[in-house]
Amino acid sequence: MNKLWNKTDEVARGMRKPINTAAISIMGMYTFIWGLWLALPWATFSRSPIYELMLSLAPEIVWGVAAMCIGALILWGVFSQTYKALVRGALAGFYYWFVISGFYLLGSWQSTGWINAFMVAVYCAFVAINLRVNKSSLHDNKETLKIRP
């Protein structure tokens, strides 16, 4: 049991280290591309009953543009090394993907879509928390970079 405790402690210490910018940019690209797909001129929402609740709240284009804006904000934060853009993008991503996971769960709890969206939300929350803990730096493979406020 003591070995397990030490390993979880080691994982927790590792999660407190500054996050890699490549990992953040993957999250931004995923969110942007997902939004772009929804914004394209075909009807994604009509293909599955999972999207019925989402469609009743807003049309596909709104969901798509929102995701594209969030993804662009995250990517802008990575490229410009700006703390505020990174945190705001990660928090917006958390709320967006959390809402999506809720709609997926309500639309079809048997589907794995809600699990995927929920895990993206968890990852966005982790990024936002990690950025707050390591407010002044990001890790970029070989060195730690200072980020602007």
Side-chain angles (χ1 to χ4, degrees), residues 20 37 103 120:
N20 186 301
W37 193 260
F103 279 123
V120 174

Side-chain angles (χ1 to χ4, degrees), residues 7-47:
K7 282 295 179 191
T8 56
D9 220 27
E10 195 176 304
V11 168
R13 277 192 300 277
M15 290 176 79
R16 284 194 334 242
K17 292 180 182 175
I19 194 163
N20 186 301
T21 54
I24 301 171
S25 60
I26 290 169
M27 180 180 64
M29 282 302 298
Y30 177 78
T31 302
F32 185 86
I33 292 170
W34 197 84
L36 179 64
W37 193 260
L38 290 180
L40 289 173
W42 50 73
T44 303
F45 281 7
S46 66
R47 308 244 183 249

Side-chain angles (χ1 to χ4, degrees), residues 124-139:
C124 288
F126 167 72
V127 168
I129 291 166
N130 185 282
L131 288 167
R132 296 219 23 158
V133 169
N134 300 292
K135 194 170 186 171
S136 64
S137 61
L138 285 170
H139 185 267

